[in-house]
Amino acid sequence: MAIQWYPGHMHKAQKAIAEVLPQVDLLIEVLDARIPSSSENPAIAKLRGEKPCIKVLSKSDLADPKVTAEWQEYLERDRGVKTFTTTTDEPGKIRQIIDLCRKMFPAKDASLKTINSMIVGIPNVGKSTLINILADRIIAKTGNEPAVTKSQQRINLGSGIVLFDTPGILWPKIENPNSSYRLAVTGAIKNTAMEFDDVGFYAAEYLIKAYPELLKARFQLDSIPDTELAFLEAAARRRGALTGGGRINFHKICELLINELRAGTVGRISLETPAMIERENLAVAEAKAKKEEENQARKRRFKDGSRRSDN
């Protein structure tokens, strides 16, 4: 599924981040614990360079704890990166981020030096809620729809920490097709920019392989079918997602499945693992290399054809 969603305010936001970044000591990147890689903006990684970074795995109560632990170990292999898991129901734990910022700069005395930090993250990842807890007051607008924050803010958190807030930004082209689906499943992409049937079939295919027991329990099935089509048909009959003639309403059952995944009622589910991402990144790189070879070959054929016509 190709999702092209790059509103004008996101282009402006990325430009503003690049302009402010030289003033920043530390990045706080908020990721969705269910999709740490797919929710990581590659543009931010390029802009960050060697700056220290705290990667906050938000909504960790919705993710598979075993997989989240794998992601923490994987992400912290990167020099200068620390990870921090949290949920919106843990305000006390979220405030520990301020202490972690200080620990990453032990040479700066709190009474004399200010640590300029910048918080970044894709839409609907929980960034605004985290800011409000850190500031201990309502600073940022929150909402279940992506793209709520539209402008940059500068917030004094106390304890010598200044926080630059930025709008949630996606990037012009999502190269890994699996990431497009995962972003759609978790709600980072507006419902109006996706097809529920398409995303629902993708989610069902993954879940019957990765979390069959959770699906069986949630939809009260005796067994899990081998295909996503058969599962969705069985789930639709259990939930009454049928048309007037008793036929399966695939749009309805897909929408229901996605909404329950987002709410966590299916169970604690992670949609990607480090090993999966390694394989997918390799496949994407190979596809790009092949496409580049084809483009170069096309140019050579065109050039050779022009020479022959000149002769």
Side-chain angles (χ1 to χ4, degrees), residues 13-288:
Q14 186 166 317
K15 184 178 179 181
I17 289 172
E19 291 174 352
V20 174
L21 210 54
Q23 308 171 38
V24 172
D25 302 306
L26 168 74
L27 275 181
I28 300 173
E29 184 172 16
V30 186
L31 307 175
D32 188 319
R34 297 166 294 180
I35 52 168
S37 178
S38 294
S39 60
E40 185 178 39
N41 190 335
I44 297 299
K46 289 179 181 179
L47 291 172
R48 174 196 153 211
E50 297 296 318
K51 288 184 184 292
C53 181
I54 299 173
K55 293 184 182 288
V56 179
L57 301 179
S58 72
K59 305 182 182 183
S60 60
D61 54 328
L62 302 178
D64 184 330
K66 180 177 179 294
V67 177
T68 298
E70 291 177 12
W71 273 112
Q72 287 190 268
E73 190 275 332
Y74 181 81
L75 293 170
E76 290 190 1
R77 293 177 190 173
D78 188 355
R79 184 173 174 272
V81 170
K82 296 292 183 183
T83 60
F84 190 92
T85 63
T86 190
T87 75
T88 55
D89 295 328
E90 300 176 303
K93 184 177 180 181
I94 288 175
R95 293 189 185 99
Q96 293 174 18
I97 292 174
I98 294 176
D99 295 331
L100 183 56
C101 290
R102 275 281 161 207
K103 288 178 182 177
M104 293 185 76
F105 292 91
K108 288 198 174 187
D109 184 272
S111 62
L112 299 175
K113 299 290 185 179
T114 297
I115 296 174
N116 290 318
S117 61
M118 176 182 285
I119 188 164
V120 295
I122 66 169
N124 202 30
V125 78
K127 181 167 65 69
S128 295
T129 300
L130 188 143
I131 290 168
N132 291 338
I133 292 172
L134 289 176
D136 202 23
R137 61 190 187 279
I138 303 300
I139 296 288
K141 293 180 181 180
T142 62
N144 291 325
E145 279 291 309
V148 172
T149 304
K150 296 291 180 67
S151 60
Q152 197 172 88
Q153 304 179 79
R154 189 173 185 273
I155 307 157
N156 191 338
L157 300 180
S159 301
I161 309 290
V162 171
L163 183 69
F164 290 89
D165 180 23
T166 59
I169 57 172
L170 287 171
W171 45 108
K173 183 180 180 183
I174 301 170
E175 294 184 337
N176 184 342
N178 292 293
S179 291
S180 298
Y181 281 107
R182 291 165 189 152
L183 289 164
V185 170
T186 55
I189 293 169
K190 287 184 177 181
N191 292 341
T192 53
M194 58 176 261
E195 294 290 338
F196 272 104
D197 297 35
D198 189 21
V199 177
F201 269 78
Y202 175 88
E205 181 184 18
Y206 172 76
L207 293 171
I208 61 178
K209 296 174 183 176
Y211 296 97
E213 293 305 313
L214 291 181
L215 282 187
K216 188 165 79 170
R218 180 62 188 170
F219 290 92
Q220 299 178 332
L221 300 174
D222 294 331
S223 62
I224 292 296
D226 293 332
T227 68
E228 63 273 26
L229 176 62
F231 163 73
L232 289 169
E233 289 176 341
R237 292 189 182 95
R238 294 295 298 178
R239 294 297 183 85
L242 306 170
T243 64
R247 298 174 64 182
I248 304 298
N249 186 333
F250 283 106
H251 179 87
K252 184 175 181 180
I253 190 59
C254 286
E255 185 174 7
L256 186 150
L257 174 62
I258 291 167
N259 286 336
E260 293 199 359
L261 281 172
R262 291 175 181 176
T265 52
V266 177
R268 298 184 67 173
I269 287 170
S270 293
L271 296 171
E272 61 191 19
T273 67
M276 287 169 58
I277 291 300
E278 291 280 2
R279 291 193 297 270
E280 291 171 8
N281 286 345
L282 180 60
V284 169
E286 289 175 347
K288 286 178 68 176

